[in-house]
Amino acid sequence: MSSQTEVLNPEGGISPSSYLLKKALLHPSNQSDPIDIRDMIMDLQIEEDISAPYIQGLLFLQDSGNFLSALRLNGNERFELTIGRRKQNDSEQLDEDQKWELDLKAIEFFGYSRFSPSKQFYRMRVVSPWVVTSSAKEVINAFEGTISSNIEKLLKNNLEIERIEKINTSSKEAIQGVYPSMKPLDAALWLINNAYEESTPFFLYETCKKGIYLDSLKSMYEKEPLKTFELKAFFGSNPGTPEYYDEMSRRIIKFSSPLNYSQFANIERGAYASQVEMIDIFNKKFIKNEYRYGDNNKLNKFQPFSNNDEVGGLKLNQLTKSKAYYVSLNPGSFDSSNIHSPLNNTIMKGEAYYNALETNTMHMDILGDFGLEVGELVQVDVSKASSSAALNEANMFDKYLGGVYLIKSIKNNFGEKFTQRVTLARDSVGIDIDSEES
């Protein structure tokens, strides 16, 4: 791993896979001054995920200075990391999308090995520091206000997080409750299970680029795709030019998937239909309601199932008995709503939105992009799996596999070059499943 020089492309110019490790400081507990470990880093991996309110990383270290023993490294050290690159002149990429500055915490040293007297190798696991803070704290107090405001209090007051990019305050219903002896991060995730905006679920996550987000799926749907990525067999620009640099940054190196299309799984998860049974213990009432997939908000134009499919003589969005939810209500427990109130009928459609994102998951391997974040949308254009002679510019892209996807996770790898494995999800398709269009 090169910490001082940029990785160049074969033509001698800067490549989208280049990077510069500008700072890697480890703060040992037995001395006040940090140690520069850039020359020790053989490999660096950093991961962000839309379901995780923290980032995590893994470093493979080569130690030829006996630092492990001399610094008494034991898995509670602060780790400062600055990594970025110099983009090609006249590239369309933004200047502010070329660097990350991260302040992390080492939580584990493991995988020790030694093959010669002069060198030792081991791995260091790092996470956002509030993961450690949360493990040492507990919340058992009462709370009131909107779910968003209570999560914000946990993040700022209990976990002392400063790098917060967005708190979506659209979960407007005020609630009351008591934290049942939970870690602050667990309490935030517990609250978010009951948070919805226009029936779409909320996500709490951190990105390398900007920090913590609390946002709804509805808000994500309203974004324009951040970028278009392409899988095709040719380039339209000359190597060494800014246009070629930008074309390389949009190129998909590998497109793969478990190809998890399964209407059986979606039916079982309640993505298309479900029912809820609620017991109101205050008013002594039993309430039963149903949900059927209709004109849902979605990433692409067409629903992910056929209108011709039936099970037992019923359309897929009529199978309300395929999934059941059970909610206990007690509207008399407080003067205002309690923690379960936002569920009511919302749970069916909210869970349907969430589970529909499992309709199709794809993995996209690309050259590194410091501007990419989970929670963003991207357009994916995939050429049809045919010979070049059978394709022309008008019909070369596969409308079934291509379309708009949500970024669920990003695994960043800094080795000989900067690459990313981006996990994409979608709840819909770009072509009518019942059509005969190719």
Side-chain angles (χ1 to χ4, degrees), residues 350-378:
E351 289 299 299
Y353 272 118
Y354 183 85
N355 289 316
L357 282 175
E358 301 296 323
T359 295
N360 184 211
T361 300
M362 304 295 290
H363 301 303
M364 177 177 72
D365 293 359
I366 58 173
L367 299 181
D369 186 339
F370 285 100
L372 216 55
E373 298 179 279
V374 296
E376 293 288 347
L377 305 181
V378 292

Side-chain angles (χ1 to χ4, degrees), residues 337-401:
S337 300
N338 65 25
I339 183 65
H340 300 294
S341 299
L343 292 174
N344 291 11
N345 295 323
T346 310
I347 188 173
M348 295 182 290
K349 194 170 185 179
E351 289 299 299
Y353 272 118
Y354 183 85
N355 289 316
L357 282 175
E358 301 296 323
T359 295
N360 184 211
T361 300
M362 304 295 290
H363 301 303
M364 177 177 72
D365 293 359
I366 58 173
L367 299 181
D369 186 339
F370 285 100
L372 216 55
E373 298 179 279
V374 296
E376 293 288 347
L377 305 181
V378 292
Q379 171 71 33
V380 176
D381 292 338
V382 181
S383 63
K384 295 176 181 177
S386 303
S387 66
S388 57
L391 299 176
N392 57 56
E393 191 171 349
N395 73 347
M396 66 178 294
F397 289 117
D398 189 324
K399 295 180 181 179
Y400 190 54
L401 290 178

